[in-house]
Every structure is written in structure tokens, then in C-alpha cells.
Amino acid sequence: MKMVIEQSKMANSAKDFTYQAPFPITVKCRKCKNPARLIMLVDDDIGELVAQRPRNVKVWPHDCSAIAIYLCTNCGSMRATWNQG
Ligand SMILES: [Zn+2]
């Protein structure tokens, strides 16, 4: 599992750490509607999350997945999005 927190690497990593379209660098904060910036990327490049699936869950990664975490630097709200291979 790889993780990127270096802000200087986010733009390139947002393209590399994904299994589908690149993650946006900013998304709209659901709380205050200001831009929330990409603060952390997690790339489960070897599918470690797949093996952690709890019993009786409806949705869980079933392949290598990538998670993008956003922080609104105006109100402190966080949101995340993800995709998988
Ligand atoms: Zn906000």
C-alpha cells in the first residue's frame, strides 16, 4: 500500500494513483461549498484491503483500489472518493 501526503507531488500522483480517471485536485466542500483540496492519496496497489472484507457487508473493494481524501481548509470538513482496478 502506498500513500502520498507531499503536497508538491499531489498533481502528478492524482493521475498515477488511480485505476480510472485522474482524481481532481480540488472538490467542492459539501458543508461550506468552498474548494476542498486533495490532502492524501492511498493506493492499495496490491489489494490488501480486499482481504480485510468484513462479513455481511454489501460494498467493499474487490480489486486494487485508490482513495483520495480531501480537506476543506475553510471549515475543516473532510470528504473522500475512491475507485478500483
Ligand atoms: Zn468547507
Side-chain angles (χ1 to χ4, degrees):
M1 195 170 301
K2 295 184 292 191
M3 187 166 57
V4 171
I5 59 168
E6 296 88 351
Q7 297 302 296
S8 62
K9 295 181 181 173
M10 280 302 168
N12 282 336
S13 297
K15 296 176 208 148
D16 297 339
F17 275 46
T18 180
Y19 295 94
Q20 296 171 24
F23 289 116
I25 297 302
T26 61
V27 294
K28 187 187 274 188
C29 175
R30 290 186 171 138
K31 210 177 223 180
C32 75
K33 311 304 178 199
N34 279 288
R37 65 185 299 161
L38 184 56
I39 188 174
M40 185 181 298
L41 284 164
V42 179
D43 183 7
D44 183 22
D45 55 338
I46 56 173
E48 291 175 279
L49 273 173
V50 176
Q52 298 299 316
R53 184 183 184 109
R55 299 177 105 186
N56 303 321
V57 296
K58 187 175 176 185
V59 177
W60 195 264
H62 59 76
D63 202 349
C64 297
S65 58
I67 300 169
I69 302 168
Y70 295 85
L71 172 69
C72 175
T73 56
N74 184 56
C75 77
S77 183
M78 277 193 157
R79 60 182 288 191
T81 188
W82 69 292
N83 63 42
Q84 61 187 337

Coordinates of all heavy atoms in Angstrom, one line a residue:
M1 N 0.9 -1.2 0.0 CA 0.0 0.0 0.0 C 0.9 1.2 0.0 O 1.8 1.3 0.8 CB -0.9 0.0 1.2 CG -2.1 1.0 1.1 SD -3.3 0.8 2.4 CE -3.9 -0.9 2.2
K2 N 0.6 2.1 -0.9 CA 1.4 3.4 -1.0 C 0.5 4.6 -0.6 O -0.7 4.5 -0.7 CB 1.9 3.6 -2.4 CG 2.8 2.6 -2.9 CD 3.3 2.9 -4.3 CE 2.3 2.8 -5.4 NZ 2.7 2.8 -6.8
M3 N 1.2 5.6 0.0 CA 0.5 6.8 0.4 C 1.3 8.0 0.0 O 2.5 8.0 0.0 CB 0.3 6.8 1.9 CG -0.6 7.8 2.4 SD -1.1 7.6 4.2 CE 0.4 7.4 5.0
V4 N 0.6 9.1 -0.4 CA 1.2 10.3 -0.7 C 0.6 11.4 0.1 O -0.6 11.6 0.2 CB 1.1 10.7 -2.2 CG1 1.6 12.1 -2.5 CG2 1.8 9.7 -3.1
I5 N 1.4 12.2 0.8 CA 1.0 13.3 1.6 C 1.7 14.6 1.1 O 1.3 15.7 1.5 CB 1.1 13.1 3.1 CG1 2.6 12.9 3.5 CG2 0.2 12.0 3.6 CD1 2.9 13.0 5.0
E6 N 2.8 14.4 0.4 CA 3.6 15.6 0.0 C 2.8 16.4 -1.0 O 2.5 15.9 -2.1 CB 4.9 15.1 -0.7 CG 5.9 14.4 0.2 CD 5.6 12.9 0.3 OE1 4.6 12.4 -0.3 OE2 6.4 12.2 0.9
Q7 N 2.5 17.6 -0.6 CA 1.6 18.5 -1.4 C 2.2 18.8 -2.8 O 1.5 18.9 -3.8 CB 1.3 19.8 -0.7 CG 0.5 19.5 0.6 CD -0.8 18.8 0.4 OE1 -1.7 19.3 -0.3 NE2 -0.9 17.5 0.9
S8 N 3.5 18.8 -2.9 CA 4.2 19.1 -4.2 C 4.0 17.9 -5.1 O 4.2 18.1 -6.3 CB 5.7 19.4 -3.9 OG 6.3 18.3 -3.4
K9 N 3.7 16.8 -4.7 CA 3.5 15.6 -5.5 C 2.1 15.3 -5.9 O 1.8 14.3 -6.6 CB 4.1 14.4 -4.9 CG 5.6 14.5 -4.7 CD 6.2 13.2 -4.0 CE 7.7 13.3 -3.8 NZ 8.2 12.2 -3.0
M10 N 1.1 16.0 -5.3 CA -0.3 15.7 -5.5 C -0.8 15.7 -6.9 O -1.5 14.8 -7.4 CB -1.2 16.6 -4.7 CG -1.3 16.3 -3.2 SD -1.8 14.6 -2.9 CE -1.4 14.4 -1.2
A11 N -0.4 16.7 -7.7 CA -0.9 16.8 -9.0 C -0.5 15.6 -9.9 O -1.3 15.0 -10.6 CB -0.3 18.1 -9.7
N12 N 0.8 15.2 -9.8 CA 1.2 14.0 -10.6 C 0.6 12.7 -10.0 O 0.1 11.9 -10.7 CB 2.7 13.9 -10.6 CG 3.3 14.8 -11.6 OD1 2.7 15.3 -12.6 ND2 4.6 15.2 -11.4
S13 N 0.6 12.6 -8.7 CA 0.1 11.4 -8.0 C -1.4 11.3 -8.3 O -1.9 10.1 -8.3 CB 0.3 11.5 -6.5 OG 1.7 11.5 -6.3
A14 N -2.2 12.4 -8.4 CA -3.6 12.3 -8.6 C -3.9 11.6 -10.0 O -5.0 11.0 -10.2 CB -4.2 13.7 -8.6
K15 N -2.9 11.6 -10.9 CA -3.1 10.9 -12.1 C -2.5 9.5 -12.0 O -3.1 8.6 -12.6 CB -2.2 11.6 -13.2 CG -2.7 13.0 -13.5 CD -1.8 13.7 -14.6 CE -1.9 15.2 -14.4 NZ -0.6 15.9 -14.7
D16 N -1.5 9.3 -11.3 CA -0.9 8.0 -11.2 C -1.6 7.1 -10.2 O -1.6 5.9 -10.4 CB 0.6 8.1 -10.7 CG 1.4 8.9 -11.7 OD1 1.0 9.0 -12.9 OD2 2.5 9.4 -11.3
F17 N -2.1 7.6 -9.1 CA -2.7 6.8 -8.0 C -4.2 6.6 -8.3 O -5.0 6.9 -7.5 CB -2.6 7.5 -6.7 CG -1.2 7.2 -6.0 CD1 -0.1 7.3 -6.7 CD2 -1.2 6.9 -4.6 CE1 1.1 7.1 -6.0 CE2 0.0 6.7 -4.0 CZ 1.2 6.7 -4.7
T18 N -4.5 6.1 -9.4 CA -5.9 5.9 -9.7 C -6.0 4.7 -10.7 O -5.1 4.5 -11.5 CB -6.6 7.2 -10.3 OG1 -8.0 6.9 -10.6 CG2 -5.9 7.6 -11.5
Y19 N -7.2 4.1 -10.7 CA -7.4 3.0 -11.6 C -8.4 3.4 -12.7 O -8.8 2.6 -13.6 CB -7.9 1.7 -10.9 CG -6.8 1.2 -10.0 CD1 -6.7 1.6 -8.7 CD2 -5.7 0.4 -10.5 CE1 -5.7 1.2 -7.8 CE2 -4.7 0.0 -9.7 CZ -4.7 0.4 -8.4 OH -3.6 0.0 -7.6
Q20 N -8.9 4.6 -12.6 CA -9.8 5.2 -13.6 C -9.4 6.6 -14.0 O -8.2 6.8 -14.1 CB -11.2 5.1 -13.1 CG -11.6 3.6 -12.8 CD -12.9 3.5 -12.1 OE1 -13.8 4.4 -12.1 NE2 -13.1 2.3 -11.4
A21 N -10.3 7.5 -14.1 CA -9.9 8.9 -14.4 C -9.1 9.5 -13.3 O -9.3 9.1 -12.1 CB -11.2 9.7 -14.6
P22 N -8.2 10.5 -13.6 CA -7.5 11.1 -12.5 C -8.4 11.7 -11.4 O -9.5 12.2 -11.7 CB -6.7 12.2 -13.2 CG -6.7 11.8 -14.7 CD -7.9 11.0 -14.9
F23 N -7.9 11.7 -10.2 CA -8.6 12.4 -9.1 C -8.5 13.9 -9.3 O -7.4 14.4 -9.6 CB -8.1 12.0 -7.8 CG -8.4 10.6 -7.4 CD1 -7.3 9.7 -7.2 CD2 -9.7 10.1 -7.1 CE1 -7.6 8.3 -6.8 CE2 -9.9 8.8 -6.8 CZ -8.9 7.9 -6.6
P24 N -9.6 14.6 -9.1 CA -9.4 16.1 -9.1 C -8.6 16.6 -8.0 O -8.5 16.0 -6.9 CB -10.9 16.6 -9.0 CG -11.7 15.5 -8.5 CD -10.9 14.2 -8.8
I25 N -7.9 17.7 -8.2 CA -7.1 18.3 -7.2 C -7.9 19.0 -6.1 O -7.5 19.0 -4.9 CB -6.1 19.3 -7.8 CG1 -5.2 18.6 -8.8 CG2 -5.3 20.1 -6.7 CD1 -4.3 17.5 -8.2
T26 N -9.1 19.5 -6.5 CA -10.0 20.1 -5.5 C -11.4 19.5 -5.8 O -11.7 19.2 -7.0 CB -10.0 21.6 -5.6 OG1 -10.5 22.0 -6.8 CG2 -8.7 22.2 -5.2
V27 N -12.2 19.5 -4.8 CA -13.7 19.2 -5.0 C -14.4 20.2 -4.1 O -13.8 20.9 -3.2 CB -14.0 17.8 -4.5 CG1 -13.4 16.7 -5.4 CG2 -13.6 17.6 -3.0
K28 N -15.7 20.4 -4.4 CA -16.5 21.4 -3.6 C -16.8 20.8 -2.2 O -17.3 19.7 -2.1 CB -17.7 21.7 -4.3 CG -18.5 22.9 -3.7 CD -19.9 23.1 -4.3 CE -19.8 24.0 -5.5 NZ -21.1 24.4 -6.0
C29 N -16.5 21.6 -1.2 CA -16.9 21.2 0.2 C -18.4 21.0 0.3 O -19.1 21.9 -0.1 CB -16.3 22.2 1.2 SG -16.8 21.8 2.9
R30 N -18.8 19.9 0.8 CA -20.3 19.7 0.9 C -20.9 20.5 2.0 O -22.1 20.7 2.1 CB -20.5 18.2 1.2 CG -20.3 17.4 0.0 CD -20.7 15.9 0.2 NE -20.5 15.2 -1.0 CZ -20.1 14.0 -1.1 NH1 -19.7 13.3 -0.1 NH2 -20.0 13.4 -2.3
K31 N -20.1 21.0 2.9 CA -20.6 21.8 4.1 C -20.7 23.3 3.7 O -21.7 23.9 3.8 CB -19.7 21.6 5.3 CG -20.4 21.7 6.6 CD -19.4 21.4 7.7 CE -20.0 20.6 8.8 NZ -19.1 20.2 9.8
C32 N -19.5 23.9 3.3 CA -19.5 25.4 3.1 C -19.3 25.8 1.6 O -19.3 26.9 1.3 CB -18.3 26.0 3.9 SG -16.7 25.7 3.3
K33 N -19.2 24.8 0.7 CA -19.1 25.0 -0.7 C -17.8 25.6 -1.2 O -17.7 25.9 -2.4 CB -20.3 25.8 -1.2 CG -21.7 25.3 -0.8 CD -21.9 23.9 -1.1 CE -23.3 23.4 -0.6 NZ -23.4 21.9 -0.5
N34 N -16.9 25.8 -0.3 CA -15.6 26.3 -0.8 C -14.8 25.1 -1.3 O -15.2 23.9 -1.1 CB -14.8 26.9 0.4 CG -15.2 28.3 0.7 OD1 -14.9 29.2 -0.1 ND2 -15.9 28.5 1.7
P35 N -13.7 25.3 -2.0 CA -12.9 24.2 -2.6 C -12.2 23.4 -1.4 O -11.6 24.0 -0.5 CB -11.8 24.9 -3.4 CG -12.3 26.3 -3.7 CD -13.2 26.6 -2.5
A36 N -12.3 22.1 -1.5 CA -11.6 21.3 -0.6 C -10.4 20.7 -1.3 O -10.6 20.2 -2.5 CB -12.5 20.2 0.0
R37 N -9.2 20.7 -0.8 CA -8.0 20.3 -1.5 C -7.7 18.9 -1.2 O -7.9 18.4 -0.1 CB -6.9 21.2 -1.3 CG -6.4 21.3 0.2 CD -5.3 22.3 0.4 NE -4.1 22.0 -0.5 CZ -3.2 22.9 -0.7 NH1 -3.3 24.1 -0.3 NH2 -2.2 22.6 -1.5
L38 N -7.1 18.2 -2.2 CA -6.6 16.9 -2.1 C -5.4 16.9 -1.1 O -4.4 17.6 -1.3 CB -6.1 16.4 -3.4 CG -5.6 14.9 -3.6 CD1 -6.7 13.9 -3.1 CD2 -5.2 14.7 -5.0
I39 N -5.6 16.2 0.1 CA -4.6 16.2 1.1 C -3.9 14.9 1.2 O -2.7 14.9 1.7 CB -5.3 16.6 2.5 CG1 -4.2 16.8 3.5 CG2 -6.3 15.6 2.9 CD1 -4.7 17.3 4.9
M40 N -4.5 13.8 0.8 CA -3.8 12.5 0.9 C -4.3 11.5 -0.1 O -5.5 11.5 -0.4 CB -4.1 12.0 2.3 CG -3.4 10.7 2.7 SD -3.9 10.1 4.4 CE -3.3 11.4 5.4
L41 N -3.4 10.7 -0.6 CA -3.8 9.7 -1.6 C -3.3 8.3 -1.0 O -2.2 8.2 -0.5 CB -3.1 9.9 -2.9 CG -3.7 11.0 -3.8 CD1 -2.7 11.4 -4.9 CD2 -5.0 10.5 -4.4
V42 N -4.2 7.3 -1.1 CA -3.8 6.0 -0.7 C -4.0 5.0 -1.8 O -5.1 5.0 -2.4 CB -4.6 5.5 0.5 CG1 -4.2 4.1 1.0 CG2 -4.5 6.5 1.7
D43 N -3.0 4.3 -2.2 CA -3.1 3.4 -3.3 C -2.9 2.0 -2.8 O -1.8 1.6 -2.4 CB -2.0 3.7 -4.4 CG -2.1 2.8 -5.6 OD1 -3.0 2.1 -5.7 OD2 -1.2 2.9 -6.4
D44 N -4.0 1.2 -2.7 CA -3.9 -0.2 -2.3 C -3.5 -1.0 -3.6 O -4.3 -1.7 -4.1 CB -5.2 -0.7 -1.7 CG -5.1 -2.1 -1.2 OD1 -4.0 -2.5 -0.9 OD2 -6.2 -2.7 -1.1
D45 N -2.2 -0.8 -4.0 CA -1.7 -1.3 -5.2 C -1.6 -2.8 -5.2 O -1.5 -3.4 -6.3 CB -0.4 -0.7 -5.6 CG 0.6 -0.8 -4.5 OD1 0.3 -1.0 -3.4 OD2 1.8 -0.6 -4.9
I46 N -1.6 -3.5 -4.1 CA -1.5 -5.0 -4.1 C -2.8 -5.6 -3.5 O -2.8 -6.8 -3.1 CB -0.2 -5.4 -3.3 CG1 -0.2 -4.9 -1.9 CG2 1.0 -5.0 -4.1 CD1 1.0 -5.4 -1.1
G47 N -3.9 -4.8 -3.3 CA -5.1 -5.4 -2.9 C -5.2 -5.8 -1.5 O -5.9 -6.8 -1.2
E48 N -4.5 -5.2 -0.6 CA -4.5 -5.6 0.8 C -5.9 -5.4 1.5 O -6.3 -6.1 2.4 CB -3.5 -4.8 1.6 CG -2.1 -5.2 1.3 CD -1.0 -4.3 2.0 OE1 -0.8 -3.2 1.5 OE2 -0.5 -4.8 3.0
L49 N -6.7 -4.4 1.0 CA -8.0 -4.1 1.5 C -9.0 -5.3 1.2 O -9.9 -5.6 1.9 CB -8.6 -2.8 1.0 CG -8.2 -1.6 1.8 CD1 -8.7 -0.3 1.1 CD2 -8.8 -1.6 3.2
V50 N -8.8 -5.8 0.0 CA -9.6 -6.9 -0.4 C -9.7 -8.0 0.6 O -10.8 -8.5 1.0 CB -9.1 -7.5 -1.8 CG1 -10.0 -8.7 -2.2 CG2 -9.1 -6.4 -2.8
A51 N -8.6 -8.4 1.2 CA -8.5 -9.4 2.2 C -9.2 -9.0 3.6 O -9.4 -9.9 4.4 CB -7.1 -9.9 2.4
Q52 N -9.4 -7.7 3.8 CA -9.9 -7.3 5.0 C -11.5 -7.2 5.1 O -12.0 -6.7 6.0 CB -9.3 -5.9 5.4 CG -7.9 -5.9 5.5 CD -7.4 -6.8 6.6 OE1 -8.0 -6.8 7.7 NE2 -6.4 -7.6 6.4
R53 N -12.1 -7.6 4.0 CA -13.6 -7.5 3.9 C -14.3 -8.2 5.1 O -14.1 -9.3 5.4 CB -14.0 -8.2 2.6 CG -15.5 -8.0 2.4 CD -16.0 -8.8 1.2 NE -17.4 -8.5 0.9 CZ -17.9 -7.8 -0.1 NH1 -17.1 -7.3 -0.9 NH2 -19.1 -7.5 -0.2
P54 N -15.1 -7.4 5.8 CA -15.9 -7.9 6.9 C -17.0 -8.8 6.4 O -17.4 -8.6 5.2 CB -16.4 -6.7 7.7 CG -15.7 -5.5 7.2 CD -15.2 -5.9 5.8
R55 N -17.5 -9.7 7.2 CA -18.6 -10.5 6.7 C -19.9 -9.6 6.6 O -20.0 -8.7 7.4 CB -18.9 -11.6 7.7 CG -17.7 -12.5 7.9 CD -18.0 -13.6 8.9 NE -18.3 -14.8 8.3 CZ -18.7 -15.9 8.9 NH1 -18.9 -15.9 10.2 NH2 -18.9 -17.0 8.2
N56 N -20.7 -10.0 5.7 CA -22.1 -9.4 5.6 C -22.0 -7.9 5.2 O -23.0 -7.2 5.5 CB -22.9 -9.5 6.9 CG -23.0 -11.0 7.3 OD1 -23.2 -11.8 6.4 ND2 -22.9 -11.3 8.6
V57 N -21.0 -7.4 4.6 CA -21.0 -6.0 4.0 C -21.5 -6.1 2.6 O -21.2 -7.1 1.9 CB -19.7 -5.3 4.2 CG1 -19.3 -5.1 5.6 CG2 -18.6 -6.0 3.4
K58 N -22.2 -5.0 2.2 CA -22.7 -5.0 0.8 C -21.6 -4.5 -0.2 O -21.5 -5.0 -1.3 CB -23.9 -4.1 0.8 CG -24.7 -4.1 -0.5 CD -25.9 -3.3 -0.4 CE -26.7 -3.2 -1.8 NZ -27.8 -2.3 -1.7
V59 N -20.9 -3.5 0.2 CA -19.9 -2.9 -0.7 C -18.5 -2.9 0.0 O -18.4 -2.6 1.2 CB -20.3 -1.4 -1.0 CG1 -19.2 -0.8 -1.9 CG2 -21.6 -1.3 -1.7
W60 N -17.5 -3.4 -0.8 CA -16.1 -3.4 -0.3 C -15.2 -3.5 -1.5 O -15.7 -4.1 -2.5 CB -15.9 -4.7 0.6 CG -14.7 -4.6 1.4 CD1 -13.5 -5.2 1.1 CD2 -14.5 -3.9 2.6 NE1 -12.6 -4.9 2.1 CE2 -13.1 -4.1 3.0 CE3 -15.3 -3.2 3.5 CZ2 -12.6 -3.6 4.2 CZ3 -14.8 -2.7 4.6 CH2 -13.5 -2.9 5.0
P61 N -14.1 -3.0 -1.5 CA -13.2 -3.2 -2.7 C -13.0 -4.7 -3.0 O -12.8 -5.4 -2.1 CB -11.9 -2.5 -2.2 CG -12.3 -1.5 -1.2 CD -13.4 -2.2 -0.5
H62 N -13.1 -5.0 -4.3 CA -12.8 -6.4 -4.7 C -11.6 -6.5 -5.6 O -11.4 -7.5 -6.2 CB -14.1 -7.0 -5.3 CG -14.5 -6.2 -6.5 ND1 -13.9 -6.3 -7.7 CD2 -15.6 -5.3 -6.7 CE1 -14.5 -5.5 -8.6 NE2 -15.5 -4.9 -8.0
D63 N -10.9 -5.4 -5.7 CA -9.7 -5.3 -6.5 C -8.8 -4.2 -5.9 O -9.2 -3.6 -5.0 CB -10.1 -4.9 -8.0 CG -9.1 -5.4 -9.0 OD1 -8.0 -5.7 -8.6 OD2 -9.4 -5.3 -10.2
C64 N -7.6 -4.0 -6.5 CA -6.8 -3.0 -6.1 C -7.5 -1.6 -6.1 O -8.2 -1.4 -7.1 CB -5.5 -2.9 -7.0 SG -4.5 -4.4 -6.9
S65 N -7.4 -0.8 -5.1 CA -8.2 0.4 -5.0 C -7.3 1.6 -4.7 O -6.2 1.5 -4.1 CB -9.3 0.3 -4.0 OG -8.8 0.0 -2.7
A66 N -7.8 2.8 -5.0 CA -7.2 4.0 -4.7 C -8.2 4.9 -4.0 O -9.4 5.0 -4.3 CB -6.7 4.7 -5.9
I67 N -7.7 5.6 -2.9 CA -8.6 6.5 -2.1 C -8.0 7.9 -2.1 O -6.8 8.1 -1.9 CB -8.7 6.0 -0.7 CG1 -9.3 4.6 -0.7 CG2 -9.6 6.9 0.2 CD1 -9.2 3.9 0.6
A68 N -8.8 8.9 -2.4 CA -8.4 10.3 -2.4 C -9.1 11.0 -1.2 O -10.4 10.9 -1.2 CB -8.7 11.0 -3.7
I69 N -8.4 11.6 -0.4 CA -9.0 12.3 0.8 C -8.8 13.8 0.7 O -7.7 14.3 0.4 CB -8.4 11.8 2.1 CG1 -8.5 10.3 2.2 CG2 -8.9 12.5 3.3 CD1 -7.7 9.7 3.3
Y70 N -9.9 14.5 0.8 CA -9.9 16.0 0.6 C -10.2 16.7 2.0 O -11.1 16.2 2.7 CB -11.0 16.4 -0.4 CG -10.7 15.8 -1.8 CD1 -11.1 14.6 -2.1 CD2 -10.0 16.6 -2.7 CE1 -10.9 14.0 -3.4 CE2 -9.8 16.1 -4.0 CZ -10.2 14.8 -4.3 OH -9.9 14.3 -5.6
L71 N -9.6 17.8 2.2 CA -9.8 18.7 3.4 C -10.2 20.0 2.9 O -9.5 20.7 2.1 CB -8.5 18.8 4.2 CG -8.6 19.7 5.4 CD1 -9.5 19.2 6.4 CD2 -7.2 20.0 5.9
C72 N -11.3 20.5 3.5 CA -11.7 21.9 3.2 C -10.9 22.8 4.2 O -11.0 22.6 5.5 CB -13.2 22.1 3.5 SG -13.7 23.8 3.4
T73 N -10.0 23.6 3.7 CA -9.2 24.4 4.6 C -10.0 25.7 5.1 O -9.4 26.5 5.7 CB -7.9 24.8 3.9 OG1 -8.2 25.5 2.7 CG2 -7.0 23.6 3.7
N74 N -11.2 25.8 4.7 CA -12.1 26.9 5.2 C -12.8 26.4 6.5 O -12.9 27.1 7.5 CB -13.1 27.3 4.1 CG -13.9 28.5 4.6 OD1 -13.4 29.5 4.9 ND2 -15.2 28.3 4.6
C75 N -13.5 25.2 6.5 CA -14.3 24.8 7.6 C -13.8 23.5 8.3 O -14.3 23.1 9.3 CB -15.7 24.6 7.2 SG -16.1 23.1 6.2
G76 N -12.8 22.9 7.7 CA -12.2 21.7 8.3 C -13.0 20.4 7.9 O -12.6 19.3 8.4
S77 N -14.0 20.5 7.1 CA -14.7 19.3 6.7 C -13.8 18.4 5.8 O -13.0 18.9 5.0 CB -16.0 19.7 6.0 OG -16.7 18.5 5.7
M78 N -14.0 17.1 5.9 CA -13.3 16.2 5.0 C -14.2 15.4 4.2 O -15.4 15.1 4.6 CB -12.4 15.2 5.8 CG -11.1 15.7 6.2 SD -10.1 14.4 6.8 CE -8.5 15.1 6.6
R79 N -13.8 15.0 3.0 CA -14.5 14.0 2.2 C -13.5 13.2 1.4 O -12.4 13.5 1.3 CB -15.5 14.7 1.3 CG -14.9 15.7 0.3 CD -15.9 16.4 -0.6 NE -16.5 15.5 -1.6 CZ -17.3 15.8 -2.6 NH1 -17.6 17.1 -2.7 NH2 -17.8 15.0 -3.4
A80 N -14.0 12.1 0.9 CA -13.1 11.1 0.2 C -13.9 10.5 -1.0 O -15.1 10.5 -1.0 CB -12.7 10.0 1.2
T81 N -13.1 10.1 -1.9 CA -13.6 9.3 -3.0 C -12.7 8.2 -3.3 O -11.5 8.2 -2.9 CB -13.8 10.3 -4.3 OG1 -14.6 9.5 -5.3 CG2 -12.5 10.7 -4.8
W82 N -13.1 7.2 -4.1 CA -12.2 6.1 -4.4 C -12.6 5.4 -5.7 O -13.7 5.7 -6.2 CB -12.3 5.1 -3.2 CG -13.6 4.4 -3.1 CD1 -14.8 4.9 -2.7 CD2 -13.9 3.0 -3.3 NE1 -15.8 3.9 -2.7 CE2 -15.2 2.7 -3.1 CE3 -13.1 1.9 -3.8 CZ2 -15.8 1.5 -3.3 CZ3 -13.7 0.7 -3.9 CH2 -15.0 0.5 -3.7
N83 N -11.7 4.6 -6.2 CA -12.0 3.8 -7.3 C -11.2 2.6 -7.2 O -10.3 2.4 -6.4 CB -11.9 4.6 -8.7 CG -10.5 5.0 -8.9 OD1 -9.5 4.3 -8.7 ND2 -10.4 6.3 -9.4
Q84 N -11.4 1.6 -8.1 CA -10.6 0.4 -8.1 C -10.3 -0.1 -9.5 O -11.0 0.3 -10.5 CB -11.3 -0.7 -7.3 CG -12.7 -1.1 -7.8 CD -13.4 -2.0 -6.8 OE1 -12.8 -2.7 -6.0 NE2 -14.7 -2.0 -6.9
G85 N -9.4 -1.0 -9.6 CA -8.9 -1.5 -10.9 C -10.0 -2.3 -11.6 O -11.1 -2.6 -11.2
Ligands
ZN1 ZN -15.9 23.6 4.0

